Amino acid sequence: EAGVVQSPRYKIIEKKQPVAFWCNPISGHNTLYWYRQNLGQGPELLIRYENEEAVDDSQLPKDRFSAERLKGVDSTLKIQPAELGDSAVYLCASSLVPVSGGTQYFGPGTRLLVL
Amino acid sequence: AQKVTQAQTEISVVEKEDVTLDCVYETRDTTYYLFWYKQPPSGELVFLIRRNSFDEQNEISGRYSWNFQKSTSSFNFTITASQVVDSAVYFCALSEVKAAGNKLTFGGGTRVLVKP
């Protein structure tokens, strides 16, 4: 069974440029998560989807970040415009069930460097 | 609020030595889940184990073992007879049942370096 797929794996952009990350979750997993991991730290949740609905986006900086999950499968996370402090690894995860305790499976992440 | 603390930022051992990673958590919930993930240099977080708050049995899986003690709010992880392939960053995480959805709160991670 294929795992969580993310692309691109690496992205280097200049500040004020837009950038987008793509995620394809494990087949059949209705819940999808985007995390940000700063260097030397654990991941922090940005947004959680149950099917097409964003049910927890309280940690998403909405002035510059946006996300969508059309048709309840693939998801895209966008930053516009990017700032130097956005340099981090962006991880996508999925789980079969949205309730607490449902194991989340992570993709390889997209490493973003903003110059 | 939930919190996970991994006091050891980095541990260096020689191959075949045992290594124990500490994890201390804080929660007001009586029902919660604890996880360990491994993050090798490739970057992907690999799921290792999930434990619910009502199951305090220790678990062993090959060279890995976990010691869950509710009395001290700890969920420690031991790698026996370490190998070079065990070199990675290991994260402990907590999910509270009462919290919205399935939010994971991660500790800061412990980097394990196994030298040949």
Side-chain angles (χ1 to χ4, degrees):
Chain A
E1 181 181 295
V4 176
V5 179
Q6 289 187 249
S7 68
R9 291 295 311 277
Y10 304 92
K11 190 74 175 179
I12 301 175
I13 61 172
E14 295 188 345
K15 62 181 181 182
K16 300 185 182 180
Q17 294 299 306
V19 64
F21 314 124
W22 175 82
C23 173
N24 180 249
I26 292 173
S27 177
H29 281 195
N30 295 327
T31 308
L32 183 147
Y33 314 76
W34 282 103
Y35 287 83
R36 178 168 59 188
Q37 184 177 19
N38 293 316
L39 188 64
Q41 299 180 20
E44 294 181 325
L45 182 68
L46 290 174
I47 189 169
R48 176 174 66 92
Y49 281 93
E50 290 182 20
N51 298 306
E52 302 89 359
E53 184 181 359
V55 294
D56 183 2
D57 63 355
S58 57
Q59 302 302 311
L60 189 72
K62 299 181 182 63
D63 56 335
R64 298 182 300 105
F65 286 66
S66 64
E68 61 182 11
R69 192 184 184 198
L70 301 176
K71 300 181 181 179
V73 182
D74 296 0
S75 178
T76 302
L77 178 68
K78 299 178 182 178
I79 308 175
Q80 183 172 11
E83 296 179 352
L84 295 177
D86 295 331
S87 295
V89 176
Y90 292 83
L91 293 163
C92 180
S94 69
S95 68
L96 188 59
V97 292
V99 297
S100 294
T103 299
Q104 295 181 31
Y105 296 92
F106 286 79
T110 296
R111 190 176 299 273
L112 174 66
L113 179 59
V114 182
L115 303 176
Chain B
Q2 55 189 28
K3 183 180 178 181
V4 177
T5 302
Q6 296 180 252
Q8 306 146 306
T9 55
E10 184 167 325
I11 301 175
S12 182
V13 297
V14 176
E15 207 169 17
K16 297 185 182 179
E17 288 184 343
D18 298 347
V19 56
T20 295
L21 311 180
D22 298 332
C23 172
V24 175
Y25 61 92
E26 295 177 27
T27 177
R28 295 180 182 177
D29 264 5
T30 55
T31 304
Y32 51 88
Y33 292 84
L34 294 163
F35 300 80
W36 275 95
Y37 284 86
K38 173 183 180 180
Q39 189 172 43
S42 61
E44 184 171 347
L45 278 163
V46 178
F47 166 73
L48 295 178
I49 189 172
R50 178 186 71 177
R51 179 52 52 89
N52 74 57
S53 53
F54 296 107
D55 183 1
E56 289 194 69
Q57 264 193 330
N58 292 330
E59 183 159 337
I60 298 175
S61 176
R63 296 183 297 105
Y64 295 169
S65 62
W66 291 269
N67 183 348
F68 177 30
Q69 293 193 337
K70 285 182 76 171
S71 60
T72 56
S73 297
S74 65
F75 187 41
N76 297 338
F77 172 33
T78 297
I79 303 173
T80 302
S82 61
Q83 300 176 2
V84 172
V85 292
D86 296 326
S87 296
V89 180
Y90 292 85
F91 289 95
C92 181
L94 167 69
S95 174
E96 292 178 328
V97 170
K98 290 183 180 178
N102 194 14
K103 178 182 177 180
L104 281 176
T105 297
F106 285 85
T110 298
R111 181 178 300 277
V112 173
L113 178 60
V114 182
K115 300 177 183 178

